[in-house]
């Protein structure tokens, strides 16, 4: 309801009730404001029962929060989980490739990018993979 500042202030107070729904909401709000550390904190609490009980959108948010905080290796299990969901497979594959490339594991990263260029369902992620490969050649 366009009251994000108020929501953030409330979410940072001590003594809030602990519930999965509140942690999911908090994770979403913190993600929208770019506070990826708090996003990860709340989504980790919401996901303590496993990934199959959480919507893929929320798994993606947690993976992205970790990735954007420079914790790509920690994000890998979440991206790998998302590869099993058709709507998220291309994005997850692209991020996995980026993580491999950043961690001196270039071979698997390049292979994933080539696979995306050839087989990605999404034109956006196909294009991103092609552009990344082109930049690698420079």
């Amino acid at each position: 309801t366009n009251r994000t500042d108020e929501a953030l202030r409330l979410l940072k107070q001590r003594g809030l009730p602990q519930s999965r729904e509140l942690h999911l909401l908090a994770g979403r709000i913190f993600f929208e404001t770019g506070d990826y550390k708090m996003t990860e904190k709340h989504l980790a609490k919401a996901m303590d029962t496993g990934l199959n009980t959480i919507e893929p959108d929320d798994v993606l948010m947690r993976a992205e929060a970790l990735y954007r905080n420079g914790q790509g290796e920690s994000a890998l299990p979440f991206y790998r989980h998302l590869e099993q969901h058709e709507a998220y497979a291309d994005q997850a594959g692209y991020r996995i490739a980026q993580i491999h490339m950043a961690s001196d594991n270039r071979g698997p990263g390049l292979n994933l990018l080539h696979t995306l260029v050839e087989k990605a369902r999404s034109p956006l992620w196909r294009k991103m993979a092609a552009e990344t490969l082109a930049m690698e050649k420079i």
Side-chain angles (χ1 to χ4, degrees), residues 19-33:
S19 73
R20 180 180 187 192
E21 292 77 21
L22 183 60
H23 287 301
L24 286 170
L25 177 63
R28 292 174 191 144
I29 291 170
F30 283 116
F31 187 85
E32 287 176 18
T33 62

Side-chain angles (χ1 to χ4, degrees), residues 1 5-6 8 15-17 22 28 35 40-41 49 68-69 71-72 78 85 89 91-92 100 103 105 116-117 125 135:
T1 61
D5 290 338
E6 185 179 351
L8 287 171
L16 285 177
L22 183 60
R28 292 174 191 144
D35 189 338
E40 159 58 14
K41 175 184 172 183
T49 59
R68 293 176 190 193
N69 267 338
Q71 298 174 331
F78 302 107
H85 297 269
Q91 182 177 358
H100 284 312
S103 66
N105 204 3
L116 284 170
V117 168
W125 295 109
M135 292 297 293

Side-chain angles (χ1 to χ4, degrees), residues 11-58:
L11 289 170
K12 291 179 181 178
Q13 291 179 354
R14 294 179 188 245
L16 285 177
Q18 299 292 306
S19 73
R20 180 180 187 192
E21 292 77 21
L22 183 60
H23 287 301
L24 286 170
L25 177 63
R28 292 174 191 144
I29 291 170
F30 283 116
F31 187 85
E32 287 176 18
T33 62
D35 189 338
Y36 303 120
K37 182 178 179 181
M38 292 300 287
T39 299
E40 159 58 14
K41 175 184 172 183
H42 284 282
L43 291 181
K45 290 179 182 178
M47 294 179 189
D48 64 359
T49 59
L51 297 179
N52 292 325
T53 62
I54 299 293
E55 292 297 318
D57 284 342
D58 294 317

